[in-house]
Amino acid sequence: MRPGRIFISYRRQDSSYPAGWLFDRLREHFGPDQVFKDVDSIELGDDVEAVISAAVGSCDVLLAVIGPRWVSATDGAGRRRLDSPDDYVRREIATALAGGVRVIPVLVDGAVMPRTVDVPPVLLPLLRLNALVLSPDRFGADTARLLRALDRAVAEAAVPRTPHEAVAPVPPPGDPAPGTVALAPERGGLPVPGRRGVVGAAVTVPVLALIVAAVAVHPWSSDTPDRARSPAPASTSLGGTVRSSASSPSSTSASPPAGPVLLSDDFSTDRSGWTVRSNTTASGTLRNGRYHVMVTPNPVGTGVGVYPERVSGVYPTAPDNLHFRVSGRRLPGSADLEWGVSCRSERAADTTYGYLFTLTSGDVQINKNSARYPYDPELLKSARHSLDTTKVNTVEGECATVAGGVHLSLSVNDVPLVDYLDQDAPLTFGTVNLFIGMAPAARGTGDVEFDDVRMWRG
């Protein structure tokens, strides 16, 4: 058997002793090489982050050990660890959920499952999972129950499966949006780069990334900065400036074939649950079969996300190979702004990370907002245009995990414009949302209408 089939995720501040006991007990049952637990499974001198990432990506089951301080644990500066995208526990669980790995919450020392307000959006699927309570009063019975579940999961994971085996779409749970479908959970889930074999039965909605919207009509002229050139001009993304730009593949790709549809919305109703989140005053309303968003300027720059919160196929996490098609326009009289879509979007503390696919009055851009440069997006690639941005245009694109990074592409009105491979600390997971941004110097109200949103898995 391959090593590390069971991964134990825990906080040392919270549940070090229960995790240590579980590690010893599971090694007795499955063998010394079948269980992974940070310091006990990492050799001196190894790259800790790389080893943990590989272990999560190749395991069959992840045990999320949750104690009384799992939610509230803080770092040396007093900040809650769970709010940081770099928190190991958060990343371990999110990666497992994204890859279709079976995740089993294990509650210890009297802990209860966290509330939805206690966790970042990327971990919301965890709260729907059936948890095991490990109680001193039922120690033997609880342990036996866990071992039986792990035996079944490991045996099930040994069944071969084609990584991209098609799955028929089924209605999402709860109150589905009209014309909207979500994928049924797959055993094996989505492939993870560097992963070996097939993983256990998925128990969550597929996670990780995408969608995009921008606007255009040609003619276009190329404006693709690379690292050898001087810094690009300021971007209007959240009022930030371009930190750096990068070279990318020279070819652009045509529209991909449609796969299983995850979201299809003509805004005839609001059953997709579109919800506005903003760092300033903003509102979103259905109007004449379109979704109208109105925003006001902010001295530090305006960022508005509109999330389809009732569409489980893309929220709170989206698949790691997603395509999109969206129409929209900036209304006449609107203040200058950028609009489009953000993929791999993740809220952390008081900012939001993600890839931003946007249209401004002069160009289309792909930006990256990350923990490395919070509030200050990096321009990845852009293309200039001469068009009337108040006219309706249709944007189609891709956000997909590939060997070596994340592939991002964007076409406007069926014309391929931007193609980029992000290999520099690429974003690995998150949800998707319509996006509007205004620079700090913007004057007046911003008005945008979105129409006919379609998202599907590649």
Side-chain angles (χ1 to χ4, degrees):
M1 290 192 294
R2 59 181 173 81
R5 305 191 71 170
I6 299 169
F7 188 102
I8 299 176
S9 173
Y10 74 104
R11 290 198 183 284
R12 297 181 193 177
Q13 294 174 283
D14 173 58
S15 52
S16 182
Y17 178 78
W21 183 90
L22 274 176
F23 178 67
D24 292 338
R25 182 69 184 88
L26 295 179
R27 288 207 310 171
E28 291 177 4
H29 184 81
F30 291 101
D33 295 328
Q34 300 301 301
V35 187
F36 184 96
K37 173 178 167 288
D38 58 26
V39 295
D40 295 288
S41 303
I42 301 176
E43 296 293 338
L44 295 176
D46 282 351
D47 184 324
V48 174
E49 182 170 348
V51 172
I52 289 178
S53 297
V56 174
S58 63
C59 73
D60 297 326
V61 184
L62 182 141
L63 300 182
V65 182
I66 299 174
R69 299 187 60 200
W70 187 86
V71 166
S72 62
T74 57
D75 60 18
R79 296 169 297 206
R80 201 174 72 126
R81 291 186 180 275
L82 207 56
D83 289 329
S84 171
D86 294 327
D87 175 43
Y88 276 114
V89 168
R90 170 174 165 164
R91 292 173 62 182
E92 290 163 1
I93 297 173
T95 301
L97 293 171
V101 174
R102 178 179 288 275
V103 176
I104 301 177
V106 180
L107 306 177
V108 299
D109 293 337
V112 297
M113 284 295 285
R115 303 168 301 168
T116 56
V117 296
D118 294 329
V119 300
V122 74
L123 294 186
L124 287 176
L126 174 71
L127 308 187
R128 298 197 296 267
L129 305 183
N130 189 24
L132 171 74
V133 178
L134 197 59
S135 169
D137 298 332
R138 302 184 307 274
F139 204 67
D142 291 342
T143 303
R145 180 186 176 196
L146 176 61
L147 291 175
R148 288 194 299 271
L150 293 174
D151 284 336
R152 288 193 298 270
V154 170
E156 195 172 38
V159 179
R161 182 182 179 88
T162 303
H164 293 285
E165 182 175 341
V167 177
V170 298
D175 187 20
T180 303
V181 294
L183 295 180
E186 297 181 59
R187 184 176 71 250
L190 300 174
V192 175
R195 191 173 193 150
R196 297 191 303 163
V198 183
V199 298
V203 291
T204 68
V205 180
V207 184
L208 293 175
L210 153 30
I211 299 322
V212 135
V215 120
V217 156
H218 31 89
W220 304 81
S221 63
S222 175
D223 181 30
T224 307
D226 57 44
R227 296 188 187 278
R229 299 182 184 175
S230 58
S235 163
T236 59
S237 298
L238 292 171
T241 57
V242 175
R243 177 71 66 176
S244 65
S245 55
S247 59
S248 61
S250 58
S251 62
T252 55
S253 58
S255 301
V261 175
L262 303 175
L263 185 156
S264 181
D265 197 340
D266 61 2
F267 297 113
S268 57
T269 73
D270 189 31
R271 296 186 65 190
S272 292
W274 294 99
T275 301
V276 173
R277 299 178 190 166
S278 176
N279 65 344
T280 187
T281 303
S283 62
T285 57
L286 286 174
R287 188 172 69 186
N288 300 323
R290 297 177 180 85
Y291 197 84
H292 174 233
V293 183
M294 180 178 292
V295 299
T296 58
N298 188 320
V300 297
T302 299
V304 179
V306 187
Y307 298 81
E309 293 192 350
R310 295 182 195 152
V311 185
S312 60
V314 295
Y315 184 89
T317 51
D320 66 349
N321 187 347
L322 198 68
H323 300 274
F324 67 88
R325 188 175 178 88
V326 142
S327 297
R329 65 172 182 149
R330 179 175 63 91
L331 296 184
S334 168
D336 193 24
L337 50 75
E338 60 179 348
W339 69 267
V341 178
S342 174
C343 73
R344 309 213 169 176
S345 178
E346 184 189 7
R347 185 75 177 171
D350 58 349
T351 190
T352 300
Y353 304 139
Y355 292 111
L356 306 176
F357 298 76
T358 60
L359 170 80
T360 72
S361 59
D363 60 11
V364 291
Q365 301 179 355
I366 298 180
N367 287 275
K368 177 182 177 182
N369 207 30
S370 64
R372 180 165 53 180
Y373 304 123
Y375 316 106
D376 201 4
E378 302 169 79
L379 175 62
L380 300 182
K381 195 168 184 181
S382 68
R384 294 193 183 281
H385 68 70
S386 56
L387 56 86
D388 183 354
T389 60
T390 64
K391 302 297 184 182
V392 175
N393 295 268
T394 299
V395 175
E396 187 171 314
E398 176 188 37
C399 179
T401 297
V402 297
V406 176
H407 178 242
L408 309 165
S409 68
L410 177 61
S411 299
V412 179
N413 298 331
D414 298 319
V415 178
L417 296 172
V418 180
D419 195 278
Y420 188 86
L421 178 63
D422 184 18
Q423 298 176 293
D424 184 10
L427 305 179
T428 55
F429 52 81
T431 186
V432 60
N433 58 271
L434 307 177
F435 176 80
I436 298 172
M438 296 173 65
R443 296 178 178 272
T445 301
D447 291 285
V448 174
E449 279 187 344
F450 293 96
D451 195 9
D452 294 329
V453 177
R454 180 181 173 89
M455 305 177 189
W456 65 95
R457 199 176 80 173

